Amino acid sequence: MLTGMYPSRHGAHYAGSWQSGPEIYGRKRVFPLAEDRVTMAELLRDRGYRTGAFVANFANLYRGFGMAQGFDHYDDAPGVMLKPFPHTVRFAQRFDPTFLKRPFRSASEIGAMALGWADREAAGRPVFLFLNLLEPHHWMLPPAPYDRWARALPDAGRLARKGIFTHAIPTRITEAEQNFVIATYDGQIALMDAGLGELVAGLKARGRYENALIVVTADHGELLGEHEQLGHGGRMMYEGLLHIPLVVKLPGRDHLRGEIGDPVQLVDILPTVLAALGAPVPPGVQGDALPHVKHEIVAEEHINPEFVNHYGDVYDRAIRVIYDGSYKLIATSKGERMLFDLEHDPGEARNLSADEPGRVAELERRLEATMSTMVTRAEAEPQAN
């Protein structure tokens, strides 16, 4: 999103073992974004913008991961996170299931802080704001009135206290539990939409909306019981995780309206922003400016050793995906191959890999050819002493 590069090229990833990577929160977790990678914040700062970031996910967007590159102001202040929870907290959660389960700042709070910071900047100077919101996540019961769908379901009180979320694969949940998870997630979406509405209203009140370029998107979706899975981290790359919203509002009153039917990706955001500004795209960027996206549509997920350590070998596989029209191939480092025709099977219920080995082989060839170019030649070759 911020580099226009896929993970294999920008190089930021979870550590391959407990003894590698920098120490973050007392654990050796990740290799952060390298300083020589150019971010959107750096590019805009160099064009005279003041750059500010306000993040709710203070864990995975911690500045030590390299996320703060190019920002004049980077607000990753932590909230309340107690591990393990004291018995008094667990007792209180029996009566209020949401008590101390929102350690992050809300979408409304993040938006207000961002607007307040922008207000303090010099009048007339352009501003780049990066806002990270942690709603929606299905495992949190939203506050009233956004909990009304979940609380209207039978046995809602017990389900709210149960803690349905689990890292187990497969996840066995009842129909009633799945309905509660979906209703909770819908409430979180409505809560986030309200926060975004406050942000847009704030921009309009300040006269900043019409000339603003606004991008609203997500880093992932959620599996809500489909394929016997809940959540996102380390799961199989089904459409519930990969198919996310991307809304772009261009500057000016006469900006284009409509929907792009062809697939686009997060790597396309940076070149789209630069194209709107008339700025050049730096070397190494792998995305294209909307609406003319011509690159292969691929996705990748590396192994997270923490998940393997805590939740078992079912997480011990890297995953790659490539799309070809309505066809989608999922390939894992353990040799699994899953081919789906999303036009006729949007729920990805029927694996066609055994029926269409030729298509699988061709998509594998294209996937390998694409992934082999992820790392630039200079990085792939060992440096001479």
Side-chain angles (χ1 to χ4, degrees), residues 55-127:
V55 304
N57 193 338
F58 57 86
N60 288 333
L61 294 183
Y62 171 61
R63 67 184 63 229
F65 296 173
M67 300 297 296
Q69 286 184 203
F71 286 104
D72 298 311
H73 178 80
Y74 193 85
D75 187 340
D76 56 350
V80 179
M81 180 171 283
L82 303 175
K83 288 188 177 182
F85 275 164
H87 293 303
T88 54
V89 173
R90 295 194 181 280
F91 179 77
Q93 288 173 347
R94 294 175 59 185
F95 305 96
D96 179 4
T98 67
F99 182 65
L100 282 186
K101 283 195 173 180
R102 294 191 189 91
F104 57 88
R105 294 167 294 183
S106 70
S108 180
E109 292 169 322
I110 291 289
M113 286 187 294
L115 290 173
W117 179 82
D119 288 342
R120 294 191 295 271
E121 297 305 301
R125 186 171 181 182
V127 171

Side-chain angles (χ1 to χ4, degrees), residues 133-138 140 184-190 192 220 222:
L133 313 178
L134 207 47
E135 302 101 347
H137 279 73
H138 71 79
M140 295 177 296
T184 298
Y185 192 56
D186 287 345
Q188 288 286 344
I189 293 173
M192 179 195 65
H220 59 75
E222 296 278 331

Side-chain angles (χ1 to χ4, degrees), residues 65-362:
F65 296 173
M67 300 297 296
Q69 286 184 203
F71 286 104
D72 298 311
H73 178 80
Y74 193 85
D75 187 340
D76 56 350
V80 179
M81 180 171 283
L82 303 175
K83 288 188 177 182
F85 275 164
H87 293 303
T88 54
V89 173
R90 295 194 181 280
F91 179 77
Q93 288 173 347
R94 294 175 59 185
F95 305 96
D96 179 4
T98 67
F99 182 65
L100 282 186
K101 283 195 173 180
R102 294 191 189 91
F104 57 88
R105 294 167 294 183
S106 70
S108 180
E109 292 169 322
I110 291 289
M113 286 187 294
L115 290 173
W117 179 82
D119 288 342
R120 294 191 295 271
E121 297 305 301
R125 186 171 181 182
V127 171
F128 167 53
L129 295 175
F130 173 66
L131 280 63
N132 162 254
L133 313 178
L134 207 47
E135 302 101 347
H137 279 73
H138 71 79
W139 45 265
M140 295 177 296
L141 188 68
Y146 305 103
D147 60 346
R148 61 188 183 275
W149 296 310
R151 292 198 182 278
L153 296 173
D155 209 14
R158 182 186 67 83
L159 292 173
R161 293 189 299 271
K162 182 177 180 180
I164 299 171
F165 178 78
T166 173
H167 281 282
I169 300 177
T171 301
R172 314 289 187 190
I173 60 174
T174 66
E175 182 179 356
E177 290 171 337
Q178 184 176 24
N179 290 337
F180 184 79
V181 165
I182 293 171
T184 298
Y185 192 56
D186 287 345
Q188 288 286 344
I189 293 173
L191 174 63
M192 179 195 65
D193 283 350
L196 289 175
E198 293 172 6
L199 177 66
V200 169
L203 291 172
K204 289 181 176 179
R206 291 162 172 79
R208 287 183 175 268
Y209 178 77
E210 289 297 340
N211 197 40
L213 191 160
I214 301 174
V215 179
V216 180
T217 188
D219 53 347
H220 59 75
E222 296 278 331
L223 292 172
L224 305 174
E226 311 98 308
H227 309 283
E228 295 188 308
Q229 297 186 27
L230 280 175
H232 52 273
R235 269 75 174 171
M236 186 55 65
M237 297 178 94
Y238 293 115
E239 288 299 277
L241 296 181
L242 296 188
H243 192 174
I244 57 172
L246 173 59
V247 180
V248 179
K249 179 261 175 195
L250 297 173
R253 293 179 178 272
D254 299 323
H255 53 73
L256 298 175
R257 296 178 181 269
E259 181 174 329
I260 298 174
D262 296 327
V264 300
Q265 296 192 268
L266 296 183
V267 292
D268 302 319
I269 293 176
L270 182 136
T272 299
V273 170
L274 295 180
L277 299 179
V281 176
V285 168
Q286 296 170 289
D288 296 322
L290 301 179
H292 306 296
V293 173
K294 297 181 172 59
H295 62 79
E296 292 273 26
I297 304 297
V298 298
E300 58 174 337
E301 182 167 22
H302 295 177
I303 296 172
N304 182 337
E306 284 195 72
F307 283 3
V308 177
N309 182 69
H310 287 289
Y311 309 118
D313 289 343
V314 70
Y315 284 93
D316 192 13
R317 75 278 188 270
I319 311 172
R320 292 175 172 176
V321 172
I322 187 168
Y323 290 83
D324 180 29
S326 67
Y327 284 93
K328 170 187 177 182
L329 177 70
I330 303 176
T332 79
S333 58
K334 288 191 171 181
E336 301 161 291
R337 299 294 182 266
M338 286 161 277
L339 178 69
F340 301 106
D341 181 354
L342 299 178
E343 180 179 356
H344 299 99
D345 179 25
E348 298 169 288
R350 185 185 175 196
N351 182 1
L352 301 175
S353 60
D355 300 330
E356 300 197 44
R359 188 184 298 273
V360 170
E362 173 59 19

